[in-house]
Amino acid sequence: MGETNITISKKKSDYLQFITALLHDMEALEIMVNNKHFEDDKQRIGAEQELCIVNTDWKPADNSLEILNEINDSTAFTTELAKFNIEINLVPIELKPGCFTALEADLLAKMERAHTAAQLFNSKLVLAGILPTISRNEMTLDYLTPLERYFQLSKKLRNLRGRKFDLYLKGVDELHIRHDSIMFEACNTSFQTHLQINPKDFVSSYNWASAISAPVLAATSNSPLLLGKELWSEIRIALFQQSIDTRQSMDEIREQSPRVTFGKDWIYNSITEIYREDITRFEVLMPDVIEDNALDNLKNNIVPTLRALRLHNGTIYRWNRMCYGITDNKPHLRIENRYLPAGPTIKDEIANMAFWIGLMKGMPENAKTIWEHFDFRDVKANFFKAARTGIESVFIWRDKEISARELILNELLPLAAEGLKKSGITDEEIFLYLGVIEKRIKTNTGAQWQIKNFRKLKKEMNTPDALKVLTENMYNNQRKNIPVCAWEGIDIASSVKEQIGNMTLIKQLMSTEVFTVYPDDPVALVKNIMVWNKINHVVIENKKGVILGIVTTGHLKELGENLDGGDAIPVKKLMRKEILTIAPDAKIEDALKIMQENWISSLPVVQDNELIGMITKNDMMRWLALKQP
């Protein structure tokens, strides 16, 4: 979420001073662009690795500060928004032969340092665009990293919004949540990739980066699940925008721009068009105390830091973001690719990076007038198609319809190989990393692997356990650094035996899909629900979800044909009102004892007087059969 080393001021005078500094920075940047002040003899690449910390139960941990303190390297390792995330910063290196293998080795070494530190706190590190096991429990400010910047950012965004944030995400499943902080943004973890841009290519490179975003995202999608719901192939795209959307109204009578954006149009003349638009459209969130003057520094031949501009730029989340930096006292501009997800493995991530950079370096000559070949609205639409359906997308590419697979395999991979070769990358390195992309397109992306295995697991166990098994298998593959194209399917039978056999609590075994009726519903409806769904019980509840009674097949057989009024009578007249229930945190052995002693085949699970699940005889038989010695 940007730089943390800032002094947040609440004084109006300091705010005005910051705006003045921001305008000075903007003017200085325009002078530097017009007078070609930027480094043009070198090109560097770099990356930032966000990752998740999990506990022994594969759920988000809250000990990032302890792990970072143990690592004791603030240059390479830093905090993120939530206490279950940390970030690794790779040292930028020149784009030259061996650079990708060097980055992979560097990242593997840093990850190993982090793993070693995490183990001291009974934790593990997982690469995932969205950690499958993350839940509503971790979306509170209790999990916010306790640094002033994050508290102020959350407060400021909430104040700008004026009311709670709304999430409405729809894929195969739907998710509609109202929340009161920016913590849902912390679900997203990415592999942010940087490419230094030659000054003569600022405009065309940025436009080309927009054009290729959709196919690159389709090839790299790895975030299909959120809170146990199957949503988009890369749901991070929608989640990030909605989780920090400061617009007070979605009513388009007055057009407003989200702070997370793909952009509105091509850049036609200068890269400064981006910065002008952002200053015009977006309020300053984090006004720091700026002591130097960029224009004065420029006049005195001092390279300006443009600190105010960089801070403001850091609170506007373009998926392709232009960034200013200084290396060896020489200024440069680079494009930050923010849409690549973390994972599935480090090798996959470096392959994604090589694919994107290869495409950038293989930019065709006609990209200089890209608006003659691509409609920006098609490019933007393609990006959101890729986020929704991943590699299964169909794009509009140069006014023609083409599948993502066909576009990548037949046009973009050869173009990326050509771009890498022009940059001096060896054939061996090109084959290694672009080969990973090609095999992935022909087998499955990270998103596809997760969905295939999650669906199989859900047929045999409840959703929380399926998510745990999924996360554990992702972690095991990551530790071997096997690219996802070579991942085998999860051994479902073995996973079921291990998960169910080791269960101890009711909430781990219970089914959350419970069939209920209302007290005035007819007995005929109850009978049909039992037959249609092959179940032996139906629970009766009121409109508030409070359990009132239960009807079982045994009970109906006892009554037989002696029902006054037949199947049309309301079920409340024959339901059993005195029913046994159990709490979700009770032991499974306790439920077994209750069911055996009372000769019942099902036991409702109740919390705060509301029905939340059901334990049945079949559940118990399966648990007993798989129980570990």
Side-chain angles (χ1 to χ4, degrees):
M1 294 293 290
E3 187 177 345
T4 59
N5 185 25
I6 63 175
T7 303
I8 300 168
S9 176
K10 299 179 182 178
K11 296 179 182 179
K12 289 184 178 179
S13 59
D14 287 338
Y15 176 79
L16 292 174
Q17 191 269 344
F18 183 87
I19 297 297
T20 301
L22 181 60
L23 296 176
H24 286 164
D25 284 359
M26 187 67 224
E27 188 176 348
L29 178 63
E30 290 179 329
I31 292 171
M32 295 170 72
V33 170
N34 292 334
N35 291 288
K36 299 181 173 61
H37 283 203
F38 292 93
E39 184 178 44
D40 61 2
D41 59 341
K42 290 184 180 179
Q43 279 201 297
R44 298 178 182 86
I45 60 175
E48 303 161 55
Q49 174 74 73
E50 298 172 349
L51 48 87
C52 302
I53 310 168
V54 298
N55 58 26
T56 54
D57 206 28
W58 300 102
K59 295 180 180 179
D62 62 353
N63 52 11
S64 63
L65 294 182
E66 290 86 345
I67 292 172
L68 289 171
N69 184 62
E70 178 65 30
I71 296 172
N72 193 26
D73 182 355
S74 59
T75 301
F77 299 85
T78 188
T79 60
E80 265 295 326
L81 181 66
K83 292 191 284 188
F84 48 78
N85 297 135
I86 61 174
E87 180 178 286
I88 298 174
N89 295 311
L90 299 183
V91 177
I93 62 175
E94 284 191 52
L95 180 59
K96 62 181 183 180
C99 62
F100 294 108
T101 52
L103 279 175
E104 181 178 0
D106 184 25
L107 185 50
L108 283 168
K110 286 183 169 66
M111 278 288 289
E112 198 57 40
R113 288 176 62 190
H115 276 296
T116 300
Q119 287 173 350
L120 298 176
F121 302 94
N122 296 316
S123 299
K124 294 181 175 68
L125 305 178
V126 178
L127 300 175
I130 295 178
L131 183 67
T133 53
I134 207 162
S135 71
R136 288 292 300 271
N137 295 333
E138 295 83 40
M139 295 300 99
T140 68
L141 291 178
D142 290 338
Y143 280 83
L144 184 73
T145 301
L147 295 177
E148 183 64 17
R149 169 185 167 80
Y150 299 129
F151 285 119
Q152 289 297 327
L153 185 62
S154 179
K155 181 179 179 181
K156 185 69 174 181
L157 288 171
R158 171 64 193 276
N159 289 342
L160 282 177
R161 174 74 172 173
R163 55 189 173 87
K164 291 187 176 183
F165 296 90
D166 284 292
L167 290 178
Y168 181 61
L169 309 169
K170 185 175 182 179
V172 175
D173 300 317
E174 293 185 34
L175 187 63
H176 192 187
I177 294 174
R178 181 162 292 170
H179 60 108
D180 59 1
S181 75
I182 63 171
M183 284 303 292
F184 266 93
E185 192 281 325
C187 294
N188 296 321
T189 45
S190 61
F191 183 67
Q192 295 162 6
T193 300
H194 296 252
L195 172 65
Q196 185 175 329
I197 302 300
N198 192 295
K200 67 181 177 63
D201 296 326
F202 282 164
V203 171
S204 56
S205 290
Y206 191 83
N207 286 336
W208 179 241
S210 297
I212 63 174
S213 296
V216 172
L217 181 64
T220 60
S221 57
N222 191 44
S223 315
L225 300 168
L226 176 63
L227 304 186
K229 303 291 186 180
E230 185 180 327
L231 300 165
W232 295 7
S233 288
E234 194 53 61
I235 195 60
R236 289 167 51 253
I237 303 304
L239 177 62
F240 192 19
Q241 177 169 320
Q242 293 187 33
S243 63
I244 59 171
D245 194 344
T246 58
R247 291 174 293 179
Q248 295 183 1
S249 171
M250 298 304 289
D251 189 339
E252 290 302 318
I253 294 175
R254 176 186 173 187
E255 187 172 340
Q256 303 173 68
S257 298
R259 294 191 84 94
V260 179
T261 179
F262 186 79
K264 287 180 169 291
D265 201 353
W266 303 116
I267 300 169
Y268 292 93
N269 299 303
S270 171
I271 203 68
T272 58
E273 293 171 29
I274 297 173
Y275 294 101
R276 290 181 206 149
E277 179 181 346
D278 290 348
I279 293 172
T280 300
R281 292 184 179 277
F282 301 109
E283 181 178 339
V284 169
L285 292 184
M286 311 294 285
D288 194 7
V289 177
I290 307 295
E291 296 179 350
D292 62 347
N293 184 302
L295 291 173
D296 289 343
N297 287 339
L298 204 55
K299 289 175 184 176
N300 294 319
N301 294 318
I302 299 172
V303 178
T305 62
L306 305 187
R307 182 170 172 76
L309 189 64
R310 288 189 293 110
L311 284 172
H312 186 52
N313 189 45
T315 63
I316 298 154
Y317 308 100
R318 291 179 179 268
W319 292 112
N320 293 289
R321 182 159 69 184
M322 189 62 75
C323 299
Y324 173 87
I326 302 171
T327 304
D328 298 331
N329 203 37
K330 293 182 180 180
H332 68 262
L333 285 175
R334 63 187 186 275
I335 294 177
E336 178 189 18
N337 179 330
R338 295 181 51 81
Y339 57 80
L340 293 178
T345 65
I346 288 175
K347 190 170 292 295
D348 280 300
E349 291 177 330
I350 301 299
N352 295 344
M353 183 182 194
F355 181 41
W356 178 68
I357 289 174
L359 286 174
M360 291 297 297
K361 298 304 296 179
M363 178 178 63
E365 184 65 23
N366 60 21
K368 293 179 180 179
T369 55
I370 200 167
W371 44 85
E372 296 178 359
H373 311 281
F374 292 85
D375 186 310
F376 186 83
R377 296 186 69 83
D378 284 338
V379 167
K380 187 173 183 177
N382 287 343
F383 183 73
F384 290 101
K385 287 178 189 175
R388 288 188 183 94
T389 53
I391 199 59
E392 297 163 7
S393 303
V394 175
F395 299 139
I396 302 299
W397 186 259
R398 295 193 179 95
D399 295 325
K400 294 182 180 179
E401 193 174 274
I402 187 170
S403 73
R405 282 192 177 89
E406 183 182 353
L407 175 63
I408 294 168
L409 291 173
N410 297 341
E411 182 174 343
L412 297 186
L413 276 172
L415 186 62
E418 181 184 334
L420 292 175
K421 198 160 190 174
K422 284 195 300 185
S423 300
I425 307 303
T426 64
D427 289 343
E428 182 182 7
E429 205 168 0
I430 293 171
F431 178 79
L432 172 63
Y433 292 111
L434 294 191
V436 168
I437 301 295
E438 181 179 6
K439 290 174 186 175
R440 187 194 304 159
I441 302 306
K442 293 178 178 179
T443 53
N444 52 245
T445 62
Q448 290 175 309
W449 185 91
Q450 287 187 47
I451 290 301
K452 288 175 187 175
N453 286 279
F454 180 60
R455 288 178 178 177
K456 291 177 182 178
L457 289 166
K458 277 190 68 176
K459 292 178 181 179
E460 303 295 334
M461 60 183 71
N462 62 32
T463 297
D465 288 321
L467 294 170
K468 285 169 58 178
V469 171
L470 187 71
T471 303
E472 182 179 5
N473 278 267
M474 289 167 60
Y475 170 82
N476 290 336
N477 283 317
Q478 288 166 10
R479 291 294 283 159
K480 300 171 187 174
N481 201 26
I482 303 170
V484 73
C485 59
W487 287 13
E488 297 180 355
I490 295 175
D491 186 337
I492 304 298
S494 176
S495 297
V496 169
K497 180 175 176 60
E498 181 178 357
Q499 282 299 118
I500 296 181
N502 289 327
M503 288 177 180
T504 59
L505 302 179
I506 293 297
K507 62 185 177 184
Q508 297 174 299
L509 184 62
M510 71 180 188
S511 171
T512 55
E513 185 179 32
V514 183
F515 296 96
T516 65
V517 297
Y518 294 124
D520 290 321
D521 287 333
V523 171
L525 175 62
V526 175
K527 287 184 175 180
N528 279 297
I529 289 175
M530 289 180 176
V531 172
W532 294 337
N533 295 283
K534 299 178 181 179
I535 56 176
N536 297 316
H537 57 271
V538 171
V539 175
I540 297 88
E541 62 180 356
N542 63 20
K543 300 287 185 179
K544 295 182 179 180
V546 177
I547 187 168
L548 302 176
I550 193 169
V551 172
T552 66
T553 51
H555 187 198
L556 291 176
K557 285 179 181 179
E558 287 178 14
L559 295 173
E561 301 297 326
N562 301 319
L563 293 176
D564 187 11
D567 287 354
I569 65 171
V571 70
K572 64 183 178 184
K573 290 192 174 182
L574 55 86
M575 68 182 183
R576 290 177 175 169
K577 298 179 181 178
E578 294 182 1
I579 57 174
L580 297 169
T581 64
I582 196 163
D585 290 320
K587 292 183 178 181
I588 296 175
E589 286 93 339
D590 295 337
L592 179 62
K593 184 177 181 182
I594 291 172
M595 295 171 73
Q596 288 175 332
E597 290 179 349
N598 293 277
W599 290 81
I600 55 176
S601 60
S602 56
L603 188 60
V605 184
V606 175
Q607 186 174 48
D608 298 327
N609 207 34
E610 289 188 14
L611 178 70
I612 63 168
M614 182 72 72
I615 289 286
T616 68
K617 181 176 71 174
N618 289 339
D619 295 328
M620 285 297 182
M621 291 176 65
R622 186 168 59 149
W623 177 71
L624 288 169
L626 297 175
K627 193 174 187 305
Q628 299 294 316

